[in-house]
Amino acid sequence: MAEGSRGGSLAFGQVVIGPPGSGKTSYCHAMRDFLGRLGRRVAVVNLDPANEALPWPCALDIGELVTLGDVMGSLGLGPNGGLLYCMEYLAANSDWLRAGLQRLRGHYVLFDCPGQVELYTHHQALKDVFAQLAKWNFRLAAVHLVDSHYCTDPGKFISVLCTSLSTMLHVELPHVNVLSKMDLIEQYGKLAFNLDYYTEVLDLSYLVDHLASDPFFRNFRRLNEKLVEVIEDYSLVSFVPLNVQDKQSMRQVVQAVDKANGYSFGDQEQRSLEALMSAAVGADFHFSSTLAVQEKYVQSQDKAVEEEVMDL
């Protein structure tokens, strides 16, 4: 393990964030198994006080410090207010977190975070926790999961882009946006454009034109144009497609995250020439993975059409 600038050893990891139902806990479980097969010592830390019935064991659980149920019961708060209080309580009691992480020295750490969007767009508590982790020589990347079904609705996709951009600017960590559950995307309808249009966030004016075909959104064309301008002016948002059951898809996400948090530049494990070149020249080689997902998606659409024709 490399030596940090403050005299301690460096630790690497991911803070897994995203809205409720985006697959954060499933991602942590799948990523732990995948990295474990690569030879990494991986530990999962649960920072979601609402996640009381964990489906898999974790090395450290915020439930030992505070639970959402206790806060709601004792303070009379609702779920949202209670969750904000829990995060503020965690930030104020960071010694508990530090003591727990001391036991995980030498591990690559996955932090499973809560699903409340406000925590990543404007609330300060979780951002302070991430800043504290950086002071403890953690080199982290934020993995922001977004359910891929939003791609099938242009209006929702613009909303997702705005939320992702706001999160990137507020959290202030190296950031990897991930379209999760790609294996289920065909269940939600046909995409208006090729998948790479959504992963690379290409010319969004086409999306505004597509929205204008809907009578409801036609009245908000000017607003949508301004929102799109903000997203394109920052030019920060792009996505990596992910299917946790596909090893190649998981490898692409790992490469993107390792580049973001600096893990790929160390000597922790043997890496291929492709991974080194990806980090060196700034190309993540997402095109091949996106193309493979797109082919699977098109094949599933063609199969569905064939079945409809047969039924007729």
Side-chain angles (χ1 to χ4, degrees):
M1 188 175 288
E3 292 298 315
S5 59
R6 297 175 178 81
S9 57
L10 287 178
F12 292 88
Q14 307 174 23
V15 290
V16 184
I17 63 180
S22 57
K24 297 183 295 296
T25 301
S26 297
Y27 170 89
C28 289
H29 175 68
M31 185 58 68
R32 180 188 64 181
D33 291 346
F34 185 82
L35 294 178
R37 288 193 292 269
L38 293 179
R40 299 189 198 181
R41 298 173 62 196
V42 184
V44 177
V45 173
N46 176 45
L47 294 184
D48 185 359
N51 201 0
E52 298 178 1
L54 292 170
W56 302 288
C58 59
L60 184 62
D61 184 7
I62 191 177
E64 302 170 6
L65 175 70
V66 62
T67 66
L68 180 59
D70 290 341
V71 168
M72 292 173 60
S74 60
L75 299 180
L77 296 173
N80 292 337
L83 194 53
L84 295 179
Y85 179 90
C86 289
M87 292 299 100
E88 292 171 355
Y89 191 81
L90 173 64
N93 293 273
S94 59
D95 290 344
W96 170 86
L97 182 60
R98 185 171 193 176
L101 293 175
Q102 288 288 343
R103 303 194 301 267
L104 303 178
R105 280 187 163 185
H107 287 75
Y108 185 99
V109 184
L110 302 173
F111 294 91
D112 187 1
C113 298
Q116 192 167 357
V117 176
E118 296 94 316
L119 292 171
Y120 314 115
T121 56
H122 57 272
H123 196 260
Q124 191 68 23
L126 206 52
K127 178 181 177 180
D128 291 342
V129 172
F130 296 158
Q132 193 64 54
L133 289 170
K135 292 180 181 179
W136 299 336
N137 279 342
F138 273 88
R139 297 298 178 261
L140 301 172
V143 179
H144 184 213
L145 298 184
V146 175
D147 198 317
S148 60
H149 86 266
Y150 290 119
C151 294
T152 61
D153 187 319
K156 291 181 180 178
F157 186 65
I158 291 179
S159 175
V160 162
L161 292 175
C162 292
T163 302
S164 298
L165 178 60
S166 178
T167 300
M168 294 173 75
L169 296 176
H170 180 72
V171 171
E172 296 182 350
L173 283 176
H175 210 91
V176 178
N177 292 304
V178 175
L179 285 177
S180 63
K181 306 179 184 178
M182 287 304 302
D183 53 321
L184 303 177
I185 189 173
E186 66 270 9
Q187 297 182 8
Y188 298 98
K190 185 175 177 58
L191 297 179
F193 306 98
N194 286 337
L195 185 61
D196 59 342
Y197 179 88
Y198 300 91
T199 57
E200 301 302 325
V201 189
L202 301 176
D203 188 351
L204 296 178
S205 62
Y206 293 104
L207 204 60
V208 175
D209 292 337
H210 188 72
L211 273 173
S213 62
D214 188 318
F216 176 80
F217 286 106
R218 191 178 302 143
N219 298 325
F220 301 96
R221 182 184 181 96
R222 186 61 177 162
L223 173 61
N224 289 327
E225 288 176 347
K226 289 302 181 182
L227 290 174
V228 163
E229 286 179 13
V230 170
I231 296 165
E232 292 185 330
D233 286 347
Y234 275 97
S235 190
L236 291 175
V237 184
S238 61
F239 295 93
V240 183
L242 172 66
N243 172 9
V244 295
Q245 300 176 355
D246 185 351
K247 293 181 180 179
Q248 177 66 14
S249 177
M250 291 288 289
R251 187 175 71 89
Q252 294 290 336
V253 173
V254 168
Q255 286 183 338
V257 174
D258 283 353
K259 176 189 169 185
N261 64 15
Y263 189 93
S264 61
F265 295 101
D267 56 359
Q268 286 81 0
E269 60 188 43
Q270 186 68 31
R271 290 171 303 280
S272 67
L273 177 62
E274 179 186 355
L276 290 173
M277 288 299 293
S278 173
V281 304
D284 295 318
F285 298 110
H286 291 162
F287 176 75
S288 59
S289 63
T290 302
L291 183 62
V293 175
Q294 174 70 21
E295 288 176 350
K296 292 179 181 179
Y297 170 76
V298 171
Q299 289 172 1
S300 65
Q301 290 291 322
D302 292 342
K303 183 178 180 181
V305 172
E306 291 178 359
E307 289 177 351
E308 290 180 2
V309 171
M310 292 295 293
D311 291 339
L312 293 175

